[in-house]
Amino acid sequence: MKVRIINCPDKDFKPFIERAVEFYAQNLIKSKRLRDNIQLTIKFNTKLTVWALASIEEYNASNRAREFLIEIHPWIGAAEIFKTLAHEMVHIKQFAHGETNETLSKWKGISIDSDAIDYYLHPWELEAYSLETGLWTKFAVKEELWDVFEGISNPDAPIKKEDIKWKYLTDENRTSSNG
């Protein structure tokens, strides 16, 4: 996979992003030949109003999607960037394998009216959300990221007591937050 990273929030963070992309790609796209024919640009974009987006940029001569863009908001923190990148890489796999299309109107050959279905129940989102945590956790363990970034825990470490840290709403807060 040919990867280009634009506007990385920290030059020392860039190699972690490169390794994460390669790790996620190897786990999602089993064909090395296919992986080698994919071009991916990852752009950190503070103007996004969502955490991230994945899109098709170009098709090859056989009309197969092979050039992609993932945009990620850099202010969501390292842990969320890695997890979100895993989610968006699932979408890259879906596009590359032709499981869904650019307009998100097909899923594995079946027409889908995405406007009639809740976002979280779109089949491509169900798959991406179901795989993101496992991919991200496997990458964090492989890289021992808890030694590098704050807010990332070793899932194999002994459990330490930590408060739940509820954010309680008073009746007054509920009234003002509901309109």
Side-chain angles (χ1 to χ4, degrees), residues 53-96:
L53 299 168
S55 59
I56 299 169
E57 296 294 294
E58 292 288 331
Y59 293 84
N60 66 10
S62 301
N63 204 32
R64 291 192 169 94
R66 293 297 181 261
E67 289 185 35
F68 306 96
L69 171 67
I70 293 175
E71 292 184 83
I72 300 177
H73 201 296
W75 298 351
I76 61 176
E80 289 299 341
I81 287 172
F82 288 123
K83 185 176 175 184
T84 301
L85 182 59
H87 179 104
E88 299 306 326
M89 286 296 294
V90 174
H91 293 318
I92 299 305
K93 183 269 304 181
Q94 294 165 346
F95 290 141

Side-chain angles (χ1 to χ4, degrees), residues 1 19 42 79 96 99 104:
M1 185 171 284
R19 290 197 301 274
I42 297 175
E99 295 169 343
L104 303 175

